[in-house]
Amino acid sequence: MHLNTHNNSTTNEINIIPIIAIDGTTASGKGTIARRLAKHYSYNYLNSGALYRLAAYILQKQNFDFERYNTLRKQEQFETEEYKAMEQQVINAGANLSPIFLDKQVLVDGTDIWTAISTQEYGNYAARISPTKDLRVAIHDFQRSCIKLPGLVAEGRDMTGVVFVDAICKIYMDGTAEERAKRRLIDEQKEISGCNKTLENVLSEVIERDEKDKNRFSGALTLTEDSYYLDTTNKSIEEVLEEAILYCNSKLQPNN
Ligand code: DC
């Protein structure tokens, strides 16, 4: 197990710190449920997607060409000087990230950058760089350093299968693509003034993102055998939360 200086807990303590690891498809509601669970149990919260978005934000400021990087990867030009230089830039952007997560806020040097990085644009940039294996390795240690008392709720794509394989609670959140597209459209209409997307536009974005998240080479979204499959279709946030708490309680206090 890798630990770094962000974590003051000893290895023995870390082994007993409860972790709720949540993975899920895009717009499945995992962010909302993870934050609500963290509040419910008074646990710490890790939004791992924000780390990839943050790395993308740093790269964007360096005028990184995400499309070009994506093209080189698709063409498997891994041995070219151009690809190697870009890959190193991506890895460097992920090194030494240590934001503070406060509910929805992502604080970097005391400033909340969540509004800037929560856009679809940064989601797409993050999806382009996130298959980079050594970027994932660079972020791995920070993620493990978030294991702190009294517990941790961590959400993302590889929480249950890679980063927190030892988590006591593992949840995989999903829902039909149509329902997730409807939710995403409502969110975007609330957040972006003059949003003129149609349900068809958003549905194809959701299907495309699912495809990318599930089929990439490194850190692919996977339903692990020991995860609780939480289908959110036709359920309210409160109903989903109740189901998640019932499952977590059964794992955290098995004798009650
Ligand atoms: O959860 P999100 O939409 O903020 O994630 C943005 C992108 O980051 C997503 O397309 C895939 C990537 N990601 C990842 O590769 N691994 C994670 N643990 C979380 C997100």
Side-chain angles (χ1 to χ4, degrees):
M1 179 184 304
H2 302 280
L3 291 177
N4 68 16
T5 50
H6 300 291
N7 196 317
N8 299 322
S9 310
T10 64
T11 305
N12 275 349
E13 267 176 350
I14 283 170
N15 288 338
I16 56 154
I17 295 174
I19 301 170
I20 301 173
I22 306 177
D23 287 324
T25 46
T26 190
S28 58
K30 62 188 182 325
T32 306
I33 295 303
R35 284 193 299 274
R36 295 282 296 269
L37 282 175
K39 230 178 227 161
H40 178 83
Y41 290 108
S42 300
Y43 283 3
N44 300 293
Y45 166 59
L46 165 67
N47 172 354
S48 64
L51 297 173
Y52 293 93
R53 287 169 183 266
L54 179 52
Y57 180 78
I58 292 167
L59 287 164
Q60 224 269 341
K61 292 221 172 306
Q62 299 167 356
N63 294 320
F64 185 79
D65 189 342
F66 293 92
E67 278 317 311
R68 178 73 186 149
Y69 188 62
N70 196 40
T71 305
L72 291 175
R73 287 191 63 86
K74 271 196 192 150
Q75 295 172 346
E76 299 188 3
Q77 298 203 29
F78 303 123
E79 296 308 319
T80 61
E81 288 306 313
E82 184 187 11
Y83 177 77
K84 283 184 185 166
M86 291 185 96
E87 183 187 43
Q88 194 54 53
Q89 204 179 340
V90 169
I91 297 163
N92 291 348
N96 306 317
L97 296 180
S98 53
I100 295 170
F101 295 102
L102 275 185
D103 194 36
K104 266 199 167 179
Q105 293 190 328
V106 180
L107 300 175
V108 176
D109 297 332
T111 304
D112 177 27
I113 59 146
W114 178 243
T115 315
I117 64 170
S118 61
T119 60
Q120 186 73 15
E121 186 190 13
Y122 277 102
N124 290 335
Y125 291 158
R128 300 226 177 313
I129 58 169
S130 62
T132 311
K133 192 165 170 276
D134 285 342
L135 170 67
R136 307 194 74 81
V137 171
I139 288 176
H140 186 272
D141 279 358
F142 171 75
Q143 296 179 121
R144 296 286 309 183
S145 78
C146 295
I147 307 174
K148 287 182 190 150
L149 284 167
L152 174 69
V153 181
E155 51 123 335
R157 304 293 192 291
D158 59 348
M159 302 292 96
T160 58
V162 179
V163 183
F164 300 110
V165 279
D166 42 1
I168 186 155
C169 306
K170 293 187 180 183
I171 300 175
Y172 183 97
M173 289 182 56
D174 201 4
T176 62
E178 289 71 20
E179 173 136 346
R180 290 184 288 121
K182 272 187 212 154
R183 285 188 207 139
R184 162 112 338 137
L185 184 61
I186 292 169
D187 282 353
E188 291 199 12
Q189 283 168 339
K190 266 192 234 154
E191 282 167 19
I192 306 164
S193 64
C195 169
N196 56 7
K197 281 188 188 168
T198 63
L199 185 60
E200 283 73 41
N201 296 148
V202 184
L203 181 60
S204 60
E205 281 174 10
V206 163
I207 292 169
E208 191 189 324
R209 180 68 77 81
D210 282 351
E211 221 275 318
K212 276 208 177 78
D213 284 346
K214 288 178 186 172
N215 298 320
R216 62 168 169 249
F217 201 58
S218 193
L221 173 65
T222 322
L223 169 60
T224 64
E225 268 183 16
D226 53 354
S227 287
Y228 177 81
Y229 184 85
L230 209 171
D231 185 352
T232 65
T233 311
N234 297 323
K235 289 177 193 158
S236 68
I237 292 175
E238 296 309 322
E239 284 169 330
V240 175
L241 181 65
E242 196 182 318
E243 193 173 330
I245 290 173
L246 267 179
Y247 160 73
C248 291
N249 283 349
S250 73
K251 292 283 178 178
L252 296 167
Q253 311 147 5
N255 299 325
N256 285 349

